[in-house]
Amino acid sequence: MIKAAISGTGLYTPPESISNEELVEAFNQYVANFNEQHSSDISDGIIEPLQASSAEFIEKASGIKNRRVINKSGILDPSRMKPFIAERSNDEPSIQCDMAVAAAKEALSQAGKQESDIDAVIIACSNMPRAYPALSVEVQSRLGIDGFAYDMNVACSSATFGLQAAVNAVENGTARAVLVISPEICTAHLNFRDRDSHFIFGDACTAIVVERMEDASGDNIYEVIGTKLKTVFSNNIRNNFGFLNRCDESGVDKPDKLFIQQGRKVFKEVVPMVASIISDHLKENDLSPEQLKRMWLHQANLSMNKLISKKVLGRDPNTLEAPVILDEYANTSSAGSVIAFHKYKDDIEKGNIGVICSFGAGYSVGSVLLRKC
Ligand code: CO8
């Protein structure tokens, strides 16, 4: 029987970053401008004044201190408040393709593999640049990979769902090796004028090489013990952007065409769901919580991750058991748990067990149990 392993990971980090203080300064300038422009409606009680944001609130409520972004100036311009990302011609690689190729090259080099060793590319992320042709086929072509490619979107859980697809392909023999790539430009679908969520997201891209255990070489090989996925429908994280928008002009550019969430509800409903999926996944593989040495969790909220780890382990985790990258990157959707894995995997001992676990819109949860070889 063929067993699959993760043998390499890569990370593309955008060069620009925005601190909470910088973000809040721009947001509060927008609020001051809005309230001044609408001062008579506000004093007549026709509209409510907008409220200021605060860097202290953001760090306390989420654990986020900073975010890496594709474009800083557009986001911080109070009259624009969205990244400036110029359209590219059809003859140029798309920006997500550039991110994907950079992350993929690092993953290939870590795995000691050439493009010719890969049979499939899965682009697994929350937002694709266009309807077609698939971004994955563009990336496949740019990397010079012979085989097949497809895109999939399960919001923040895209990478773990993509990992299950890659593991299945390797174990059933339809591919020798698969690249799972998550190029996330979350800032392009974030409403930077919304006080409740303007601080949540950042941009990044991760890549993972999944191949047959017998073909994997090097010091950082992780046998995939198993994968477990779960979805339960919820409107608490929603974005109505889509191809039908233009068929009803009344909805175009409304806030629901960007990311919207009921953060408190998400927190309360998702924490128990994630903890029970990881616990069940361990049990199904005859593993105890004591054997779990690392949890590379989705990076949305620090308190959420502490609670999930505590429920799974039966005690408070230490910082190494559930590493945090949220402070530097913010929520990078599907890339988050993989960034944590990429940065905090090399130091665990041979034989140790860890879990990559993502959770987010859908709701969707993905658990990938690994053993360091
Ligand atoms: N500054 C100051 N005060 C604020 C701010 C702010 N920016 N925002 C809210 N407040 C105030 C509120 O008005 C409220 O005041 P009051 O108590 O007087 O009513 C108070 O602070 C508390 O507000 P909340 O209840 O909203 O605050 P929380 O403590 O719940 O924290 C969080 C908000 C951080 C959003 C938290 O709820 C959270 O992290 N929840 C979990 C979210 C989560 O995991 N989401 C996953 C989504 S990611 C995903 O699935 C990917 C989707 C695809 C990505 C697409 C890219 C965009």
Side-chain angles (χ1 to χ4, degrees):
M1 187 190 155
I2 299 170
K3 278 301 289 174
I6 292 177
S7 55
T9 56
L11 168 64
Y12 168 78
T13 300
E16 298 195 306
S17 71
I18 300 179
S19 68
N20 286 349
E21 288 72 20
E22 290 173 305
L23 190 75
V24 164
E25 190 186 336
F27 179 87
N28 288 349
Q29 187 57 56
Y30 156 72
V31 167
N33 295 348
F34 178 94
N35 288 346
E36 196 184 310
Q37 278 159 18
H38 298 86
S39 57
S40 71
D41 281 352
I42 290 170
S43 41
D44 292 347
I46 296 167
I47 56 168
E48 290 288 319
L50 295 182
Q51 289 178 282
S53 183
S54 118
E56 296 72 41
F57 168 85
I58 295 170
E59 190 176 339
K60 193 159 171 270
S62 68
I64 296 165
K65 298 178 188 168
N66 197 64
R67 68 278 301 135
R68 306 302 289 246
V69 296
I70 291 293
N71 172 259
K72 178 172 178 166
S73 59
I75 294 171
L76 292 186
D77 177 350
S79 64
R80 179 178 172 86
M81 302 189 83
K82 55 188 167 191
F84 184 79
I85 302 173
E87 276 194 9
R88 294 182 178 187
S89 81
N90 290 357
D91 299 328
E92 294 173 282
S94 63
I95 184 161
Q96 280 169 285
C97 178
D98 279 346
M99 295 165 77
V101 166
K105 283 193 180 294
E106 187 185 358
L108 286 169
S109 136
Q110 203 178 87
K113 288 283 174 292
Q114 302 296 319
E115 286 77 356
S116 56
D117 298 316
I118 306 293
D119 289 335
V121 176
I122 300 173
I123 296 286
C125 66
S126 292
N127 289 291
M128 300 300 166
R130 56 178 178 260
Y132 40 80
L135 175 60
S136 53
V137 182
E138 184 188 358
V139 172
Q140 176 200 353
S141 159
R142 290 276 296 176
L143 287 169
I145 288 171
D146 187 20
F148 63 95
Y150 58 88
D151 294 352
M152 54 186 283
N153 174 2
V154 201
C156 291
S157 290
S158 300
T160 51
F161 278 58
L163 272 173
Q164 174 164 294
V167 168
N168 288 346
V170 166
E171 293 189 346
N172 72 24
T174 51
R176 290 166 302 158
V178 182
L179 266 168
V180 180
I181 313 176
S182 302
E184 294 284 14
I185 308 185
C186 300
T187 55
H189 261 199
L190 178 55
N191 185 352
F192 284 99
R193 294 190 172 94
D194 175 37
R195 178 175 175 255
D196 289 346
S197 64
H198 76 113
F199 54 87
I200 290 179
F201 290 102
D203 307 326
C205 176
T206 53
I208 306 172
V209 174
V210 177
E211 61 175 316
R212 296 172 182 161
M213 269 290 279
E214 67 205 55
D215 295 340
S217 56
D219 291 335
N220 274 296
I221 300 164
Y222 300 79
E223 175 199 344
V224 181
I225 298 170
T227 58
K228 186 178 177 71
L229 311 180
K230 173 95 179 166
T231 47
V232 177
F233 186 70
S234 168
N235 279 319
N236 290 332
I237 313 168
R238 191 161 174 131
N239 179 341
N240 286 329
F241 179 77
F243 80 107
L244 293 177
N245 293 164
R246 66 187 282 271
C247 304
D248 181 352
E249 288 80 354
S250 70
V252 172
D253 281 342
K254 291 273 164 64
D256 73 315
K257 307 304 181 301
L258 298 169
F259 170 88
I260 291 184
Q261 74 167 352
Q262 308 297 322
R264 277 274 155 102
K265 285 190 186 159
V266 174
F267 195 115
K268 280 193 187 138
E269 291 170 8
V270 168
V271 166
M273 197 173 150
V274 174
S276 77
I277 281 163
I278 298 175
S279 301
D280 290 351
H281 201 190
L282 287 170
K283 261 187 227 141
E284 286 159 17
N285 286 281
D286 296 321
L287 294 165
S288 66
E290 293 74 42
Q291 289 173 275
L292 189 63
K293 298 300 177 202
R294 196 145 300 180
M295 304 173 79
W296 299 285
L297 297 177
H298 174 50
Q299 306 281 316
N301 181 293
L302 186 56
S303 315
M304 217 171 173
N305 285 13
K306 283 184 177 161
L307 256 174
I308 291 166
S309 317
K310 190 173 178 177
K311 278 179 187 282
V312 172
L313 300 175
R315 60 173 170 78
D316 285 320
N318 63 44
T319 40
L320 263 186
E321 284 173 315
V324 178
I325 56 96
L326 182 67
D327 51 348
E328 188 191 341
Y329 284 84
N331 182 343
T332 53
S333 192
S334 65
S337 55
V338 185
I339 300 176
F341 177 63
H342 175 77
K343 286 186 173 275
Y344 295 96
K345 68 177 165 36
D346 298 352
D347 61 312
I348 70 168
E349 287 171 25
K350 285 191 181 198
N352 277 355
I353 308 290
V355 66
I356 300 177
C357 182
S358 64
F359 41 88
Y363 297 132
S364 55
V365 184
S367 168
V368 181
L369 274 176
L370 302 172
R371 181 184 289 108
K372 173 116 182 230
C373 299

